[in-house]
Amino acid sequence: MKYCFKVKGVLLLCVYLLHTVVDSKNVFTDQSQFVRKKYQQLRGVCLHFLLSTPRNNVASDKYALRRVWSSAKLCNRVKCSKKRQIKHVRSGRSNLQYDEDAFQRGNIVSNKKMKLIIRQLNRAKWYDFKFFSPAKVNLFLRLKERKETHNELSTLMHAINLGDDIFITALNKEDQRKLTELLFPCQSGDFLTIKKDEEYEGKYKNEEMYPGGRDEDTRYYYNHYPLNDDNIIAKVLRRYREELGIRDHVKFLIHVVKRTPIFSGIGGGSSNGASVFYFLEKYYYKYLKSNQLRNEFLKTIGSDISFFSSSGFAYCTGKGNNVIDLSDAQATISGSRIYIFQISEGLSSRMVYQNVDYDKIVQYNPVSLLKQFIVNAEKCNIVKHVEEAERSYLKQFVPLDGTSLMNSFINDLEHSAFVLLKKVKCLKDLLLNQNIFDAVTMSGSGSSLFALTKKNMSLDEEKMHMKNLIKQVREKLHVPVKVYLCSALRKTEHLWYRPGQLAERGFVQFGKNDCKGSSYLFVLPF
């Protein structure tokens, strides 16, 4: 009987306290602590509701903050996060992980901001399609004539397994409204984002220079990569809608994981635009039904972008946008180990072409050059097609000097680029003096060189020679160099580029003053 009265008293006390909380909401923290201390020997009784009253300082701050959070715009929630962090520190709970950059408006996306975007779009993953965007090398580049609007050229290009990842998702009006609070849209309403590179943020941010010396707006540029209408991706989307009269309200979020260096002459930007165009035609709108219509559209965008719609091995004339696909031909560089050496400073294509001196150019026959890069060229019918395309220039061409592989790698832009950036010339001379490569030449109009290793060299010998080469680069040039080990890449007519293995990357890094005592890093890509 005694225990029954005790239990009944406890129940009556609990009912009374609960009634007080619900009606007057006037239960203080010290009262709840008193009840816990008085009846701590009881088991199975839950008194957590006593700690969640509005008169509790910690709880009231939490409720007030929740009201502010729900009413604030997403771009202003960083202030609420700061308040929350302060409250938790004052209350002794300072283990909250807080990242201010994730809530700031901008198109440079970290992992935490990516999670925030996924939560805003209410999706399991925020992209619908993923594409590999390959780079390319110019096996030779011949300048034939300077015209009023462009330089007439002939070039042979091949895709390589160095490239970027392009993630694309379609957005309705509601998704666009949500992302506008987090990202800066282009004038077309599309969103371009890029993955934040921790390595660039740390060591290399202050070393890379814009070719024209222009200060970049960090809202719309990252590592000199445009995130606005200057990007060729935005140009493709805008021109596609204008030419085909598309008036729907669908916009796209396009995220780029950048691996190809900027202003290096290996076509990273053009490849990004070609990948987006392939998505529009293959999976979304599908308005241009023939290859001829697609090629005519791409010619209006840029020079190299048309090449990436080929099989990955093509002969190009005009500005580089008249493409003769060599899909049935096998390149002699197939299976070769290709090294890309890139100086940290970039070169502007416009400046390189403007400084070309045609009096210093030897007019080698590009058809003869082409035959050096095709296996069994005599049996290949596509060579006759190329000869027909070059008929008007045959009289001014001179025969090729010798048949060595080194003489076939010709880039008529080298003398102009070497004047603008002498470091590239010094690097090429150093590479040629090594007993490692069959050929070394500049790719396109950028600041990168590509080299083919000797076919009779074993992997161990190549590794040993590369270590000695890196040591000489460190001692003689004193410039940061990025090194990529690549291989040739092709695609079929109905599929996009799918590399079996991505290119590997290494670095040669130095101090600012001299190489003595300065640290350097090179990761051999083997």
Side-chain angles (χ1 to χ4, degrees):
M1 183 66 67
K2 182 178 180 180
Y3 290 105
C4 292
F5 281 111
K6 190 173 183 179
V7 171
K8 185 181 294 185
V10 171
L11 294 176
L12 290 175
L13 178 61
C14 292
V15 171
Y16 171 76
L17 292 176
L18 179 61
H19 177 75
T20 305
V21 170
V22 174
D23 290 347
S24 62
K25 297 183 179 181
N26 197 28
V27 178
F28 292 88
T29 304
D30 54 355
Q31 289 181 340
S32 61
Q33 292 175 351
F34 167 78
V35 174
R36 284 187 178 277
K37 183 177 180 180
K38 187 69 176 176
Y39 296 98
Q40 60 182 352
Q41 69 274 17
L42 296 179
R43 297 182 180 180
V45 179
C46 181
L47 300 175
H48 291 299
F49 64 90
L50 297 174
L51 296 175
S52 60
T53 62
R55 295 302 297 271
N56 186 309
N57 290 332
V58 177
S60 61
D61 291 338
K62 179 179 178 181
Y63 294 151
L65 184 62
R66 184 178 299 173
R67 289 195 297 271
V68 176
W69 180 276
S70 61
S71 62
K73 289 186 177 180
L74 192 59
C75 59
N76 295 327
R77 288 182 180 177
V78 62
K79 299 179 181 179
C80 301
S81 299
K82 290 181 179 179
K83 293 180 181 179
R84 172 176 289 182
Q85 189 182 31
I86 294 173
K87 298 298 182 182
H88 279 256
V89 171
R90 289 179 178 176
S91 61
R93 295 179 293 173
S94 59
N95 58 348
L96 178 66
Q97 297 296 327
Y98 165 71
D99 186 4
E100 181 178 350
D101 294 337
F103 295 94
Q104 289 183 345
R105 194 181 185 195
N107 294 31
I108 304 169
V109 178
S110 61
N111 291 334
K112 291 185 178 180
K113 189 164 187 175
M114 182 63 66
K115 294 179 181 179
L116 183 61
I117 292 175
I118 294 174
R119 188 162 62 247
Q120 279 295 99
L121 297 179
N122 194 21
R123 302 184 183 186
K125 60 179 183 179
W126 67 272
Y127 66 91
D128 300 325
F129 294 90
K130 175 184 176 181
F131 300 96
F132 178 74
S133 178
K136 55 83 181 173
V137 290
N138 295 75
L139 302 181
F140 66 80
L141 192 152
R142 287 279 302 102
L143 295 177
K144 298 179 294 188
E145 181 184 3
R146 188 194 298 274
K147 295 188 176 182
E148 294 182 0
T149 57
H150 66 279
N151 290 270
E152 187 74 20
L153 58 85
S154 296
T155 182
L156 180 65
M157 292 189 280
H158 205 299
I160 56 177
N161 64 341
L162 170 62
D164 309 325
D165 287 332
I166 307 293
F167 300 86
I168 306 176
T169 187
L171 303 173
N172 55 30
K173 279 191 172 182
E174 181 63 21
D175 292 337
Q176 297 167 35
R177 184 191 63 79
K178 292 178 180 178
L179 290 184
T180 304
E181 299 174 350
L182 277 173
L183 308 172
F184 293 106
C186 300
Q187 292 182 0
S188 61
D190 301 291
F191 298 88
L192 300 180
T193 62
I194 188 170
K195 183 179 180 181
K196 188 175 183 179
D197 189 351
E198 300 297 338
E199 178 183 288
Y200 166 71
E201 291 290 329
K203 295 182 179 180
Y204 304 101
K205 187 171 184 178
N206 296 325
E207 295 171 357
E208 297 186 338
M209 298 174 57
Y210 190 85
R214 184 181 70 188
D215 294 332
E216 61 181 30
D217 188 346
T218 55
R219 295 178 301 171
Y220 302 109
Y221 288 86
Y222 183 68
N223 192 8
H224 315 310
Y225 184 77
L227 300 171
N228 54 11
D229 292 271
D230 293 338
N231 194 305
I232 195 170
I233 293 176
K235 294 179 182 179
V236 169
L237 293 171
R238 182 177 65 253
R239 183 66 63 85
Y240 193 88
R241 293 184 178 112
E242 291 175 354
E243 294 291 333
L244 300 177
I246 299 175
R247 297 291 184 268
D248 59 13
H249 299 290
V250 177
K251 305 299 179 183
F252 298 99
L253 169 61
I254 300 176
H255 180 67
V256 181
V257 178
K258 199 69 181 169
R259 300 188 190 94
T260 56
I262 310 297
F263 302 115
S264 58
I266 56 178
S270 299
S271 177
N272 295 164
S275 301
V276 173
F277 176 75
Y278 176 80
F279 158 75
L280 295 175
E281 275 300 303
K282 182 70 174 180
Y283 297 103
Y284 208 82
Y285 290 112
K286 306 179 183 180
Y287 283 175
L288 303 176
K289 301 300 182 182
S290 65
N291 291 332
Q292 182 179 359
L293 291 175
R294 299 187 189 103
N295 292 333
E296 290 297 327
F297 173 82
L298 291 176
K299 286 181 182 180
T300 64
I301 302 297
S303 300
D304 297 337
I305 188 172
S306 301
F307 160 76
F308 292 100
S309 293
S310 68
S311 64
F313 184 40
Y315 184 88
C316 305
T317 59
K319 295 189 298 184
N321 53 5
N322 296 325
V323 179
I324 301 176
D325 195 357
L326 305 177
S327 56
D328 297 331
Q330 181 181 356
T332 56
I333 67 168
S334 298
S336 300
R337 299 170 68 84
I338 305 172
Y339 280 92
I340 304 289
F341 297 87
Q342 199 261 333
I343 301 290
S344 60
E345 299 181 25
L347 279 172
S348 170
S349 297
R350 179 180 299 178
M351 296 173 61
V352 172
Y353 277 101
Q354 286 177 351
N355 286 275
V356 170
D357 186 358
Y358 275 80
D359 294 334
K360 297 181 179 180
I361 296 176
V362 180
Q363 295 292 339
Y364 290 116
N365 190 340
V367 180
S368 301
L369 295 173
L370 173 63
K371 293 178 181 179
Q372 301 295 321
F373 292 99
I374 296 180
V375 178
N376 297 326
E378 296 78 9
K379 300 180 181 180
C380 188
N381 295 328
I382 198 67
V383 176
K384 297 180 180 179
H385 188 189
V386 174
E387 290 178 344
E388 184 67 23
E390 299 287 4
R391 176 181 295 180
S392 59
Y393 293 95
L394 289 178
K395 293 182 180 180
Q396 69 186 49
F397 293 149
V398 298
L400 184 65
D401 295 336
T403 58
S404 67
L405 185 61
M406 185 62 208
N407 293 334
S408 302
F409 288 86
I410 298 174
N411 190 330
D412 290 338
L413 296 174
E414 281 190 347
H415 70 275
S416 175
F418 293 165
V419 172
L420 295 173
L421 190 59
K422 295 182 179 180
K423 296 177 182 179
V424 183
K425 176 67 166 59
C426 296
L427 179 59
K428 181 178 180 179
D429 293 340
L430 180 60
L431 296 178
L432 287 174
N433 292 332
Q434 310 301 312
N435 190 25
I436 309 175
F437 307 110
D438 282 332
V440 179
T441 189
M442 194 176 78
S443 177
S445 59
S447 60
S448 64
L449 300 170
F450 77 92
L452 298 180
T453 56
K454 293 182 178 294
K455 293 185 177 180
N456 58 354
M457 183 181 297
S458 65
L459 191 61
D460 293 335
E461 290 178 333
E462 182 179 329
K463 186 175 181 179
M464 180 186 65
H465 284 298
M466 285 298 298
K467 287 183 178 180
N468 295 331
L469 172 62
I470 296 308
K471 183 179 179 180
Q472 293 188 42
V473 172
R474 177 193 178 192
E475 294 175 350
K476 296 181 180 180
L477 298 186
H478 315 301
V479 293
V481 179
K482 295 179 182 179
V483 185
Y484 304 86
L485 176 59
C486 314
S487 59
L489 180 65
R490 300 286 292 269
K491 78 175 185 68
T492 59
E493 182 179 359
H494 301 291
L495 293 177
W496 195 243
Y497 298 92
R498 295 181 180 179
Q501 182 179 1
L502 293 177
E504 301 183 53
R505 178 180 175 183
F507 306 94
V508 185
Q509 176 64 24
F510 308 94
K512 294 183 178 180
N513 298 326
D514 55 35
C515 66
K516 294 182 180 180
S518 62
S519 61
Y520 81 102
L521 168 66
F522 180 74
V523 182
L524 281 174
F526 294 102

